[in-house]
Amino acid sequence: MGFSPNTLGELEGIPDHVLPEERAGREDFRGELAVTIDGETARDFDDAVSLTRLASGHYRLAVHIADVSHYVREGTALDQDAWTRGTSVYFPDRAIPCFRRTCPAVSAA
């Protein structure tokens, strides 16, 4: 199941890193030690957890999930291809991705 030429064109316009202005209004967890919760044989590493001890002595367990939806604008070819797929599907010998690895949220996750 390939991606449409329009989707491939749209993906070319997405930078391979998160731009500073895209970080505005988001909480930055890059300074925290996070550990992936994706298995050893996972084909993508886009889910993680971190554990922080608070001043009160309690702990905060944070769950970090890649936000690829940030790169999908409603009504675009990428939106249509993602809607058709719904999610990535994994088989023992291959995967059908919802997004190509060129999407920065996927490749940087």
Side-chain angles (χ1 to χ4, degrees):
M1 186 175 202
F3 290 89
S4 72
N6 289 339
T7 293
L8 295 175
E10 288 175 11
L11 287 170
E12 290 296 320
I14 298 175
D16 64 354
H17 59 283
V18 179
L19 301 175
E21 59 268 20
E22 293 175 331
R23 294 186 191 125
R26 294 174 178 240
E27 207 167 335
D28 188 351
F29 295 101
R30 291 176 297 164
E32 292 188 22
L33 176 62
V35 179
T36 184
I37 57 175
D38 292 305
E40 184 178 317
T41 59
R43 292 186 175 94
D44 59 357
F45 298 98
D46 56 356
D47 305 312
V49 295
S50 62
L51 187 65
T52 306
R53 186 171 185 161
L54 305 175
S56 65
H58 294 100
Y59 288 89
R60 178 184 68 200
L61 173 66
V63 178
H64 308 277
I65 311 254
D67 180 15
V68 295
S69 67
H70 174 76
Y71 297 93
V72 181
R73 303 293 178 240
E74 190 172 347
T76 62
L78 180 56
D79 179 37
Q80 292 302 312
D81 274 0
W83 180 261
T84 300
R85 286 173 168 71
T87 187
S88 298
V89 180
Y90 300 96
F91 298 100
D93 62 335
R94 69 189 186 287
I96 301 173
C98 185
F99 295 102
R100 287 175 48 103
R101 287 208 125 5
T102 54
C103 184
V106 176
S107 59

